[in-house]
Amino acid sequence: MFNKNIPGSSPAGHQSAPHVLIVDDEPDIIELLELTLARMGMQVISTMNTQDARTLLQSRPFQLCLTDMQLPDGTGIDLVQYISRHCAGLPVAVITAYGTAENAVAALKAGAFDYLTKPVSLKQLRALVKSALSLPPIRTEALPEKNTGNQRTLLGESEPMRELRLTIEKLSRSQAAVYISGESGSGKELAARMIHERSARRDLPFVPVNCGAIPENLMESEFFGYKKGAFTGADKDHDGFFLAANGGTLFLDEVADLPLAMQVKLLRVIQEKQVRRLGDTQEKNIDVRIISATHKKLGECVENGQFRQDLYYRLNVIELDMPALRQMREDIPLIASSILTKICRDTNRPLCRLDQGALDTLTGYDFPGNVRELENILERTLALCSAEKIGKNELQLKPREMHQTPDSIPATAGPELPLQDYLDRLEKESIVKALEQTRYNRTAAAKLLGITVRSMRYRMDRLGLDLKKPFR
């Protein structure tokens, strides 16, 4: 059976004390958890098996459940799955034996909020309880939210978009690492921000990092920070991305572009939950949720030896796949209207709208650059059009040109040039064409050319291409 309530330190009869259910078959662990939670002001009920736990969950509301992984009549994952089905919104944390990382990952995938390892650290336990109890109320509908101020949300009524919002809601109630896959411009960073803003970490920092935009020789200092005097030019202490995101969320965009040497160091920080700044003699504890993303197929990068398999499994605990804009064409009018409204408001011009011909054109377009390309098209259109009604012709869409590949671009350089000059001109024309086709989005252009963003930047520097200056 189960133990009676263990009253907390709150006054007798106080109704706001959170109720916590403990499920464990080790009396010592139960006593430790009960005493710790009681001192935090919790009302605690404990039981030793899943059957009694289900009975208790059916009889009264709880604000948190802590369960051992191995129980006499089942597993902690069984209980997590039961709670996910019958007690929506109740955070549950699983206690696992030290070194059984696969059990922790399985629990997170099943819907657990977080996990603790034995021997239980009281500091980690208190932090976990506070985070779980600070979760916002669960949303039961997949309806789009209204924009408030400059806040951006994922708009749309299509089935892919509704499912995406529901998945984001579930992920926001977990501490699991999330890997977001999807094409360039499909809203991966926006999805990461939504997960953070709906999570227990919402009042703490969200730190986005474009892994493909950091020079390799600066990566370690940018990620881990440095002490004053650690190297020439280090004239003051610098925390780095991990310490800046401590308590919050670190978003690693284009994570596939990380060099292998940096992947090893990143894996260690994630495993140990400690970081040491360059020039420092001591490591600092960190509590950071990792959300990563890339437009590449990270599984293929692992197979090709470009990405470490152990890091891949650490980052890809739960995968979120972003649908392409062409997969939800019925949402294009709503998204386009929202973008137009924002642009008009930001530029202090009268509200514009798209006529039916323009809407039909956009709906039939494939958008290889997804929502980011739609934004660029509408910004360009408004810059060139002064009318309040926008028609098909004002959009100036040329779908065929957008689907050109480097192989289809004609070579204009003459064979009479020296071979290296001839090859450089071909390379330069290919890069310029790719940039023009992607509205000067370097990430999308690199994808079109089949190279990395870092390689793209190197080639542009070598060829003297500068986005701030005309290419001619």
Side-chain angles (χ1 to χ4, degrees):
M1 291 299 293
F2 47 84
N3 296 338
K4 294 181 179 180
N5 286 22
I6 305 296
S9 59
S10 56
H14 195 279
Q15 298 299 315
S16 62
H19 287 68
V20 181
L21 174 62
I22 298 173
V23 189
D24 202 303
D25 61 344
E26 295 184 46
D28 290 345
I29 295 291
I30 290 178
E31 183 179 4
L32 175 66
L33 296 177
E34 285 179 345
L35 289 174
T36 304
L37 296 176
R39 288 170 182 163
M40 296 177 69
M42 312 291 163
Q43 295 288 332
V44 183
I45 298 178
S46 59
T47 182
M48 293 187 171
N49 57 70
T50 62
Q51 183 59 47
D52 286 345
R54 291 189 181 99
T55 301
L56 286 166
L57 289 166
Q58 293 170 2
S59 65
R60 68 193 72 188
F62 289 92
Q63 282 71 54
L64 174 63
C65 175
L66 299 173
T67 178
D68 193 13
M69 178 61 75
Q70 300 299 330
L71 296 164
D73 60 344
T75 68
I77 293 180
D78 295 333
L79 193 56
V80 170
Q81 293 171 339
Y82 175 86
I83 290 174
S84 297
R85 291 193 302 268
H86 302 285
C87 308
L90 173 62
V92 52
V94 175
I95 302 172
T96 68
Y98 179 76
T100 55
E102 63 276 7
N103 286 340
V105 170
L108 292 171
K109 288 186 175 180
F113 168 75
D114 205 349
Y115 67 93
L116 293 167
T117 57
K118 296 178 182 179
V120 175
S121 163
L122 296 185
K123 182 179 179 181
Q124 291 181 358
L125 172 63
R126 295 187 188 100
L128 183 151
V129 171
K130 290 178 181 178
S131 293
L133 296 179
S134 67
L135 283 170
I138 191 170
R139 305 170 196 264
T140 57
E141 296 183 355
L143 297 176
E145 304 167 54
K146 294 181 180 179
N147 283 342
T148 56
N150 293 324
Q151 185 181 13
R152 296 175 60 192
T153 58
L154 288 166
L155 298 175
E157 295 291 345
S158 65
E159 189 61 27
M161 183 55 71
R162 293 173 67 87
E163 291 180 359
L164 179 63
R165 284 197 297 268
L166 283 174
T167 303
I168 286 174
E169 183 64 34
K170 292 177 182 177
L171 294 179
S172 69
R173 305 186 69 79
S174 167
Q175 300 281 49
V178 177
Y179 164 59
I180 306 177
S181 60
E183 296 179 4
S184 179
S186 58
K188 295 186 288 295
E189 181 173 344
L190 177 56
R193 288 184 181 275
M194 289 176 66
I195 293 172
H196 171 78
E197 290 167 1
R198 288 153 179 77
S199 74
R201 300 174 179 266
R202 61 191 179 280
D203 296 326
L204 293 163
F206 176 89
V207 178
V209 178
N210 187 338
C211 298
I214 306 172
E216 189 169 346
N217 62 324
L218 297 180
M219 276 196 169
E220 191 170 355
S221 60
E222 288 299 308
F223 273 91
F224 309 139
Y226 51 82
K227 291 280 288 182
K228 179 180 178 180
F231 51 84
T232 303
D235 53 356
K236 60 181 180 180
D237 289 352
H238 176 66
D239 279 345
F241 299 136
F242 273 97
L243 288 172
N246 195 23
T249 303
L250 180 62
F251 175 57
L252 303 177
D253 197 10
E254 299 302 343
V255 69
D257 289 339
L258 285 172
L260 287 170
M262 187 62 194
Q263 292 176 30
V264 176
K265 297 173 182 177
L266 183 65
L267 176 64
R268 183 185 180 280
V269 171
I270 294 174
Q271 288 176 332
E272 302 298 328
K273 295 184 178 181
Q274 291 183 324
V275 64
R276 183 170 64 184
R277 295 183 294 182
L278 296 179
D280 205 345
T281 57
Q282 295 182 337
E283 292 185 325
K284 293 188 176 184
N285 295 327
I286 54 168
D287 172 26
V288 174
R289 184 183 190 181
I290 303 290
I291 301 179
S292 58
T294 180
H295 71 276
K296 298 180 180 179
K297 296 187 181 298
L298 205 53
E300 293 182 2
C301 293
V302 172
E303 293 177 1
N304 297 334
Q306 299 171 333
F307 202 84
R308 290 181 62 96
Q309 187 177 55
D310 45 8
L311 179 59
Y312 171 73
Y313 288 125
R314 282 285 181 175
L315 298 177
N316 190 18
V317 174
I318 301 176
E319 182 171 352
L320 178 67
D321 186 33
M322 299 295 294
L325 189 55
R326 60 184 172 276
Q327 295 174 322
M328 43 186 192
R329 296 183 186 275
E330 60 267 45
D331 291 335
I332 291 176
L334 176 62
I335 297 172
S337 176
S338 175
I339 294 172
L340 272 180
T341 300
K342 182 179 184 303
I343 296 174
C344 291
R345 183 179 66 240
D346 292 346
T347 55
N348 294 318
R349 63 176 290 170
L351 185 63
C352 299
R353 65 182 184 87
L354 299 161
D355 68 15
Q356 192 57 48
L359 288 174
D360 292 343
T361 300
L362 290 175
T363 304
Y365 184 62
D366 279 346
F367 288 104
N370 293 289
V371 177
R372 185 182 296 124
E373 183 182 0
L374 174 59
E375 290 177 342
N376 291 340
I377 289 171
L378 295 176
E379 285 180 357
R380 180 197 65 198
T381 300
L382 287 179
L384 300 176
C385 175
S386 58
E388 294 185 12
K389 181 183 286 188
I390 298 172
K392 173 183 176 180
N393 293 334
E394 283 75 26
L395 294 175
Q396 300 181 14
L397 280 183
K398 299 178 181 179
R400 289 184 179 273
E401 291 184 6
M402 292 302 299
H403 291 283
Q404 280 186 322
T405 63
D407 292 337
S408 66
I409 300 172
T412 58
E416 68 279 359
L417 292 173
L419 179 59
Q420 188 57 54
D421 292 344
Y422 176 64
L423 294 175
D424 285 347
R425 182 174 294 185
L426 284 176
E427 185 177 6
K428 184 174 182 179
E429 288 182 359
S430 296
I431 292 174
V432 170
K433 287 284 187 181
L435 287 167
E436 290 175 347
Q437 291 172 31
T438 57
R439 310 298 200 272
Y440 301 97
N441 182 310
R442 293 194 192 190
T443 301
K447 181 181 179 182
L448 187 63
L449 293 170
I451 60 178
T452 65
V453 176
R454 184 177 292 105
S455 176
M456 177 86 165
R457 185 170 59 248
Y458 166 78
R459 293 167 187 268
M460 289 181 66
D461 289 342
R462 184 174 63 81
L463 296 169
L465 292 174
D466 187 348
L467 286 179
K468 298 178 182 178
K469 299 178 182 179
F471 288 134
R472 308 302 178 198

